[in-house]
Amino acid sequence: MPAPQDGPLLDDAAGRLIRPYTISNGRTRPSTAFDLLSLIMATGIEPDVPLGPEHTIALGLCEGPMSVAEIAAHLRLPAVVAKVILADLAACGAVTAHAPAFHDMPTDRSLLEAVLDGLRRQL
């Protein structure tokens, strides 16, 4: 019997009752390219196509900005499956994605060496 806190697709003893490839309809590549750090946010537009339960849960998670990696963790799905779900939501205008901002800051070698020394001391 499914555990109520895990939703209908997870079972304490058996694990996930529906395989990830079923959730993504066998698709292994999203139609939109997402980085794991991309921030996804709901637009407020209701999808005009019927969605699966994972799509609905993912859309609910996107009320505030959330990364693709976080969404995949909350859904308990592989990142590529979460990306397919998010691409479906983006295609119907329900979510927007913002690429992570990377700054061209030079790496401070002394800082990296200090971190490495600290890690070595912990081992």
Side-chain angles (χ1 to χ4, degrees), residues 56-81:
T56 305
I57 295 168
L59 186 56
L61 291 170
C62 297
E63 289 179 4
M66 187 172 281
S67 73
V68 172
E70 289 174 298
I71 294 167
H74 282 288
L75 293 175
R76 296 184 181 183
L77 290 171
V80 69
V81 176

Side-chain angles (χ1 to χ4, degrees), residues 72-97:
H74 282 288
L75 293 175
R76 296 184 181 183
L77 290 171
V80 69
V81 176
K83 288 178 181 183
V84 170
I85 290 169
L86 294 171
D88 293 345
L89 292 170
C92 66
V95 298
T96 60

Side-chain angles (χ1 to χ4, degrees), residues 2 7-8 34-35 37 42 46 56 61 68 76 81 87 92 94 96 99 104 109 112 123:
F34 293 113
D35 187 275
L37 299 178
E46 289 294 320
T56 305
L61 291 170
V68 172
R76 296 184 181 183
V81 176
C92 66
T96 60
D104 291 330
R109 184 177 176 100
L112 292 176
L123 299 176

Side-chain angles (χ1 to χ4, degrees), residues 19-28 55 81 84 88:
R19 296 291 174 222
Y21 61 82
T22 304
I23 295 167
S24 65
N25 291 327
R27 294 172 292 157
T28 59
H55 290 79
V81 176
V84 170
D88 293 345

Side-chain angles (χ1 to χ4, degrees), residues 20 49 73 94 97 100 108:
V49 294
D108 183 2

Side-chain angles (χ1 to χ4, degrees), residues 11 29 33 36 47 53 55 58 60 63 83 91 94 98-99 101 111 113 117:
D11 181 82
R29 295 202 174 144
L36 286 176
H55 290 79
E63 289 179 4
K83 288 178 181 183
H98 301 282
L111 174 65
E113 288 174 352
D117 289 339

